[in-house]
């Protein structure tokens, strides 16, 4: 009897979309059916979103398919499937029902109720008392009284916070001036003393987060929760000084805005700025500060997390417009401090890299060695405050970077303004000097050796008061020199030579003939203030850290020094040493032969050993071969022949973080200058005082379109008095909180108005 074989039936229909190893989904115009191991297990009609979500959750919950496989089959992200799981676990099937935006039911605020609320208000009752008697919230009471016209940024899904007919899903009605209300409903317009609770719960933003999740919210509006002793309220001190830096305006002019979401460009920049002022400027700094604490000063319920900051910074960096942001900041700096641009300090800065990527090696002056690093060119104003950062080319000289920076300088100086460019000996190049002068810029730098010493009678003692008010005495000689150029031409420069107390002469070259000799010497010495900024920024603003771990391939056609050239030079040096040794041996052999011929009893001529002579011939031939080989070896070759896998770090994210931290430093510098007249030790402790001030708690409340920031006293009475004076000056600027019309009023407790 023969057996009849039957083919194995397929587990899934041919048109099914696979969901993991044993499941699949067939979709038609009427709906979808999910098959598991050949059996139809789930079915839902087209448009039945609740049943669709339930099927997805059941597939993951029963471990039929992974979360990623279900997400791919249902056309959503894995995060969405995870969120459905959470909603199902918390609320069952009702949690999977799509939430309709806007009011969920009829408004409680009828015409009759509104009339009653107005009557109670006429009797002098507070908002809380009116709300208690009418059975509605204080927000509804305010709407009935006409004190607000929108939902104050609260959850628009609450039935008693939005009047009937209000377009809760109209994003244009989200007020950026919306403010919270104290829990007791009392305001200063009631004539009572304002009572603030300590660390109140932030205004809930559930409705806006739902809109952001659906991609319908451009950015969450600013909503402050009044409270007492709120942590980090002192960070708000920086806002008046931040405005002249142009940080927010620069980013908005370059990028416009970020993609729709709860956290927008304003909140991202302020978050990074506040972290920099707290001396934890990287995105990871968000893990070391309570999100609710930073959220209160951002006007949000909580600050963004690390992954959100990184994602949004990557979104900005992807546009490759970091140089445009730097240019916009430089223009804002020029408008805010035009008098500080008469002198510009330019210096190269190397950021040491210690990772595994094959980055080019550069000489790091402060470490006195060559190591893997990236190069940048920094431009600072007369006070060494940073103005602009220009990405540097690997291995480029400062002279080359100076020439390349001319268009960047003209972008914020204007086409005709004269400025004196100050740099160190690394930029020494008569051709570079001539190019800068032809571009309408003056040059100020140290002269590079060798040079002739001037006679003693060329110097004279000059007493001079510098712009800081200090009296100085110099021994100076003011002369001119001619520097040779290619083609036989010369460049005439002014040389101011300073004689130190030990007689050492320090020549300084400049093309600025109007600057006094004492001022030339003083300005050149102030170049070290830029080095001071680099040291301070490395310590306090993470100047050299990696803010992005992405990299890119180096230009394979870039010409780099040929290692074989140095090998050939070393061979020449060894050949010359060998030739010198052979000549010395030959000379010794000749001396020995002459001495032997002069001895008593010796007859005939002196006989020289031929071996040393042969050694000289051999060494000379080797030297000639080494010189010829070096001549045939190119000094530079394409990078692909030396390091085919060479990499470069991505500069875009670093340019953006540089812009934020430069603005933080410049704003802090502005505050330090403002506090100096009120603090005796400002020269040594101004920045330390500000670092303390940024961490001070304080009370925040709102009245009549004003944001009141009342800080707790500092650690010492003299510091509190200085901060109170600073607060008075900051209040006089009438600065508004970014994104709102709230004018900020600053005070320090127990120090209301210092004279």
């Amino acid at each position: 009897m023969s057996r009849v074989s039957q083919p194995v039936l397929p587990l899934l229909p041919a048109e099914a979309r696979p969901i993991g190893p044993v499941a699949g989904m067939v979709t038609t115009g009427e709906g979808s059916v999910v098959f598991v191991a050949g059996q139809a297990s789930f079915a839902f009609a087209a448009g039945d979103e609740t049943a669709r979500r339930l099927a997805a959750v059941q597939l993951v919950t029963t471990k039929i398919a992974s979360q990623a496989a279900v997400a791919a089959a249902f056309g959503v992200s894995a995060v969405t499937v995870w969120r459905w799981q959470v909603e199902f676990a918390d609320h069952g099937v009702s949690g999977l029902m799509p939430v309709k935006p806007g009011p969920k039911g009829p408004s409680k605020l009828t015409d009759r109720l509104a009339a009653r609320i107005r009557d109670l208000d006429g009797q002098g009752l507070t908002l809380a008392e009116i709300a208690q008697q009418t059975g509605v919230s204080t927000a509804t009471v305010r709407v009935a009284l006409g004190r607000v016209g929108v939902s104050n940024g609260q959850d628009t899904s609450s039935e008693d916070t939005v009047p009937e007919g209000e377009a809760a899903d109209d994003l244009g009605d989200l007020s950026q001036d919306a403010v919270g209300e104290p829990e007791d409903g009392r305001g200063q317009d009631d004539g009572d003393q304002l009572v603030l609770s300590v660390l109140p719960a932030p205004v809930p933003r559930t409705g806006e987060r739902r809109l952001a999740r659906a991609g319908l919210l451009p950015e969450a509006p600013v909503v402050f929760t009044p409270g007492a002793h709120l942590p980090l309220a002192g960070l708000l001190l920086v806002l008046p000084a931040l405005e002249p830096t142009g940080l927010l305006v620069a980013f908005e002019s370059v990028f416009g805005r970020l993609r729709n979401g709860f956290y927008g460009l304003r909140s991202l920049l302020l978050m990074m700025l506040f972290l920099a002022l707290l001396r934890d400027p990287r995105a990871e700094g968000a893990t070391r500060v309570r999100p609710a604490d930073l959220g209160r000063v951002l006007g949000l319920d909580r600050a963004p997390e690390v992954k959100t900051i990184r994602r949004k910074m990557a979104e900005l960096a992807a546009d490759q417009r970091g140089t445009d942001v730097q240019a916009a900041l430089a223009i804002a700096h020029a408008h805010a401090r035009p008098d500080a641009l008469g002198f510009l300090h330019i210096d190269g800065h190397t950021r040491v890299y210690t990772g595994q990527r094959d980055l080019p090696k550069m000489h790091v002056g402060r470490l006195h060695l060559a190591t893997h690093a990236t190069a940048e060119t920094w431009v600072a104003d007369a006070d060494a405050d940073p103005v602009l950062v220009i990405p540097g080319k690997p291995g480029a000289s400062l002279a080359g970077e100076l020439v390349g920076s001319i268009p960047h300088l003209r972008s914020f100086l204007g086409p005709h303004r004269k400025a004196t460019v100050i740099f160190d000996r690394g930029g020494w190049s008569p051709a570079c000097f001539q190019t800068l002068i032809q571009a309408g810029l003056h040059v100020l730098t140290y002269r590079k050796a060798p040079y002739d010493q001037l006679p003693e009678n060329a110097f004279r003692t000059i007493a001079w008061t510098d712009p800081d008010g200090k009296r100085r005495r110099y021994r100076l000689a003011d002369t001119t020199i001619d520097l040779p150029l290619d083609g036989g031409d010369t460049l005439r420069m002014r040389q101011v030579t300073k004689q130190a107390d030990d007689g050492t002469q320090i020549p300084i070259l400049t093309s600025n003939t109007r600057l006094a000799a004492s001022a030339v010497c003083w300005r050149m010495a102030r170049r070290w203030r830029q080095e001071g900024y680099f040291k301070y920024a490395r310590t306090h603003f993470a100047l050299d850290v990696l803010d992005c771990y992405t990299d890119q391939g180096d230009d394979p056609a870039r010409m780099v020094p040929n290692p074989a050239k140095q090998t050939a030079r070393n061979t020449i040096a060894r050949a010359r040493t060998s030739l010198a040794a052979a000549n010395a041996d030959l000379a010794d052999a000749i001396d020995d032969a002459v001495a032997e011929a002069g001895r008593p009893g010796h007859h005939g001529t002196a006989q020289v050993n031929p071996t040393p002579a042969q050694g000289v011939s051999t060494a000379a031939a080797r030297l000639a071969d080494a010189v010829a080989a070096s001549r045939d070896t190119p000094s530079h070759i394409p990078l692909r022949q030396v390091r085919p896998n060479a990499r470069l770090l991505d500069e875009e994210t670093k340019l953006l973080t540089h812009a934020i931290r430069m603005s933080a430093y410049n704003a802090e510098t502005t505050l330090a200058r403002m506090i100096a007249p009120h603090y005796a030790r400002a020269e040594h402790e101004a920045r330390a005082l500000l670092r303390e001030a940024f961490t001070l708690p304080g009370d925040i409340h709102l009245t009549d379109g004003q944001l009141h920031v009342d800080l707790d006293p500092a650690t010492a009475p003299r510091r509190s008095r200085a901060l109170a004076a600073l607060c008075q000056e900051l209040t006089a600027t009438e600065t508004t909180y970014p994104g709102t019309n709230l004018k900020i009023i600053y005070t320090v407790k127990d120090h209301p108005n210092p004279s």
Side-chain angles (χ1 to χ4, degrees):
M1 181 177 180
S2 62
R3 295 183 178 181
V4 178
S5 62
Q6 180 178 356
V8 178
L9 295 177
L11 293 179
L12 300 176
E15 65 275 16
R17 180 189 304 170
I19 310 176
V22 298
M25 182 168 58
V26 177
T27 303
T28 64
E30 298 180 355
S32 301
V33 179
V34 178
F35 291 86
V36 179
Q39 308 243 349
S41 302
F42 305 99
F44 48 90
D48 190 351
E49 182 63 20
T50 303
R52 174 175 172 268
R53 296 179 180 182
L54 178 61
V57 171
Q58 294 284 27
L59 286 171
V60 178
T61 303
T62 58
K63 298 184 179 180
I64 295 174
S66 66
Q67 195 178 77
V70 172
F74 281 73
V76 296
S77 66
V79 175
T80 300
V81 176
W82 171 81
R83 191 169 64 247
W84 291 348
Q85 291 180 258
V86 174
E87 295 291 344
F88 180 73
D90 294 342
H91 307 290
V93 177
S94 62
L96 300 178
M97 300 177 62
V99 179
K100 178 183 177 182
K104 303 302 184 292
S107 172
K108 293 183 180 180
L109 186 60
T110 61
D111 293 340
R112 181 177 179 182
L113 180 58
R116 185 186 176 196
I117 290 174
R118 288 191 290 270
D119 291 341
L120 294 175
D121 180 65
Q123 299 174 18
L125 273 66
T126 65
L127 298 179
E129 292 170 345
I130 297 175
Q132 183 178 5
Q133 292 194 23
T134 56
V136 296
S137 68
T138 56
T140 303
V141 174
R142 291 196 298 272
V143 172
L145 297 177
R147 298 185 182 179
V148 295
V150 295
S151 61
N152 289 338
Q154 299 183 16
D155 185 3
T156 56
S157 62
S158 177
E159 65 177 3
D160 63 351
T161 59
V162 182
E164 186 175 6
E166 187 80 25
D169 56 346
D170 185 0
L171 299 182
D173 290 340
L174 289 174
S175 171
Q176 293 187 338
D177 298 334
V179 298
E181 184 75 16
E183 294 181 358
D184 60 0
R186 294 180 182 268
Q188 288 188 351
D189 55 311
D190 296 322
D192 300 326
Q193 183 179 2
L194 185 65
V195 179
L196 299 172
S197 59
V198 178
L199 291 181
V203 174
R205 314 298 289 272
T206 309
E208 291 158 10
R209 290 189 180 275
R210 289 179 179 175
L211 290 174
R213 188 180 303 164
L216 301 177
L217 184 68
E219 181 177 3
V222 175
V223 180
F224 281 102
T225 301
H229 302 289
L230 299 182
L232 305 180
L235 287 171
L236 298 177
L237 289 171
V238 78
L239 295 180
L242 178 66
E243 188 172 347
T245 67
L247 176 66
L248 300 178
V249 175
F251 272 83
E252 290 173 357
S253 64
V254 173
F255 296 106
R257 66 180 184 88
L258 294 173
R259 290 179 296 180
N260 286 359
F262 188 81
Y263 299 106
L265 185 60
R266 179 192 65 247
S267 56
L268 173 66
L269 295 177
L270 290 180
M271 175 70 178
M272 295 296 290
L273 177 83
F274 290 158
L275 288 178
L277 295 176
L278 293 175
R279 272 39 184 187
D280 206 348
R282 302 183 69 189
E284 291 80 358
T287 64
R288 290 179 278 275
V289 183
R290 293 185 68 250
D293 294 345
L294 269 179
R296 286 183 170 89
V297 294
L298 291 172
L300 303 173
D301 54 350
R302 61 182 288 118
E305 298 179 359
V306 175
K307 62 179 181 180
T308 303
I309 297 174
R310 286 178 174 169
R311 184 175 67 251
K312 292 186 178 295
M313 290 299 296
E315 179 185 341
L316 295 176
D319 286 347
Q320 301 288 311
R321 303 191 65 182
T323 54
D324 295 338
V325 172
Q326 290 288 335
L329 280 181
I331 293 174
H333 193 105
H335 290 163
R337 304 194 64 209
D339 296 339
L341 299 183
F343 297 90
L344 297 175
H345 299 84
I346 301 183
D347 195 9
H349 177 70
T350 52
R351 293 189 290 115
V352 176
Y353 173 76
T354 57
Q356 301 299 320
R357 297 173 178 86
D358 185 17
L359 264 61
K361 282 191 174 182
M362 303 177 190
H363 179 73
V364 184
R366 66 180 182 276
L367 301 179
H368 303 288
L369 55 82
T371 184
H372 297 288
T374 58
E376 299 165 342
T377 301
W378 284 70
V379 181
D381 63 13
D383 297 316
D385 296 338
V387 177
L388 177 68
V389 181
I390 306 170
K393 298 179 181 179
S397 65
L398 180 58
E401 294 299 304
L402 285 168
V403 173
S405 68
I406 292 176
H408 299 278
L409 301 181
R410 281 296 168 205
S411 66
F412 65 86
L413 285 176
H416 305 297
R417 178 170 181 177
K418 285 277 188 180
T420 300
V421 179
I422 307 173
F423 50 93
D424 62 12
R425 293 181 181 89
W428 175 268
S429 169
C432 171
F433 301 162
Q434 185 182 43
T435 303
L436 291 172
I437 293 171
Q438 290 175 349
L441 300 171
H442 288 305
V443 174
L444 180 58
T445 185
Y446 290 112
R447 184 179 178 181
K448 197 171 184 179
Y451 48 82
D452 296 329
Q453 299 289 312
L454 297 180
E456 183 67 24
N457 57 10
F459 294 90
R460 60 191 182 95
T461 302
I462 299 176
W464 181 70
T465 303
D466 65 26
D468 294 336
K470 295 183 179 179
R471 192 71 174 170
R472 300 183 181 274
R473 295 176 64 86
Y474 296 112
R475 287 274 294 168
L476 301 176
D478 199 343
T479 58
T480 59
I481 64 169
D482 292 326
L483 300 178
L485 299 172
D486 294 338
D489 296 334
T490 59
L491 175 65
R492 174 154 292 189
M493 297 279 288
R494 178 187 179 192
Q495 176 175 304
V496 176
T497 306
K498 174 186 175 183
Q499 186 181 49
D501 294 338
D502 60 357
T504 303
Q505 295 184 13
I506 306 173
I508 303 171
L509 294 186
T510 182
S511 59
N512 191 335
T513 58
R514 295 187 176 183
L515 198 62
S518 301
V520 169
C521 186
W522 182 75
R523 288 287 179 187
M524 194 68 238
R526 283 172 65 88
R527 190 200 68 79
W528 289 102
R529 296 194 61 187
Q530 191 174 25
E531 298 291 345
Y533 164 74
F534 291 147
K535 181 179 180 181
Y536 187 85
R538 279 195 300 270
T539 304
H540 295 278
F541 293 106
L543 175 65
D544 291 345
V545 301
L546 284 177
D547 291 300
C548 178
Y549 296 94
T550 59
D551 61 355
Q552 60 190 9
D554 202 345
D555 181 10
R558 180 168 64 87
M559 302 300 289
V560 297
N562 186 1
K565 189 70 172 180
Q566 184 60 44
T567 302
R569 290 172 181 156
N570 294 338
T571 303
I572 292 176
R574 288 195 298 269
R576 285 176 176 162
T577 303
S578 298
L579 180 58
N583 286 324
D585 292 342
L586 179 59
D588 292 341
I590 294 174
D591 290 342
D592 292 343
V594 172
E596 182 67 25
R599 288 178 182 176
H602 186 277
H603 301 284
T605 60
Q607 298 294 325
V608 179
N609 188 352
T611 302
Q614 294 173 359
V616 171
S617 300
T618 302
R622 289 177 180 173
L623 177 59
D625 293 342
V627 171
S630 178
R631 188 182 303 111
D632 295 337
T633 303
S635 61
H636 288 72
I637 57 176
L639 178 64
R640 68 171 70 90
Q641 299 181 20
V642 183
R643 294 165 41 240
N645 299 321
R647 309 294 294 175
L648 290 176
L649 294 179
D650 177 32
E651 287 287 346
E652 286 299 316
T653 302
K654 195 61 180 178
L655 287 175
L656 300 180
T657 55
H658 274 330
I660 297 172
R661 295 165 194 172
M662 285 164 52
S663 299
Y665 175 85
N666 287 336
E668 183 181 283
T669 301
T670 299
L671 294 178
R673 292 183 179 125
M674 294 175 67
I675 209 171
H678 312 290
Y679 193 55
R681 295 189 55 81
E683 184 176 358
H684 304 285
E685 297 182 3
R687 294 186 183 275
L689 171 56
L690 290 172
R691 290 196 294 270
E692 178 190 348
F694 295 144
T695 62
L696 289 177
D699 302 349
I700 294 180
H701 61 92
L702 304 105
T703 55
D704 300 329
Q706 295 178 337
L707 176 64
H708 292 264
V709 181
D710 193 15
L711 298 178
D712 289 0
T715 54
R718 67 179 185 278
R719 290 194 164 197
S720 297
R721 288 192 296 269
L723 285 178
L726 175 64
C727 287
Q728 185 179 12
E729 293 191 31
L730 296 179
T731 300
T733 63
E734 299 186 349
T735 301
T736 59
Y737 191 93
T740 73
N741 293 324
L742 296 173
K743 188 183 301 182
I744 310 178
I745 308 298
Y746 298 96
T747 54
V748 176
K749 295 176 183 177
D750 302 327
H751 298 79
N753 188 14
S755 57

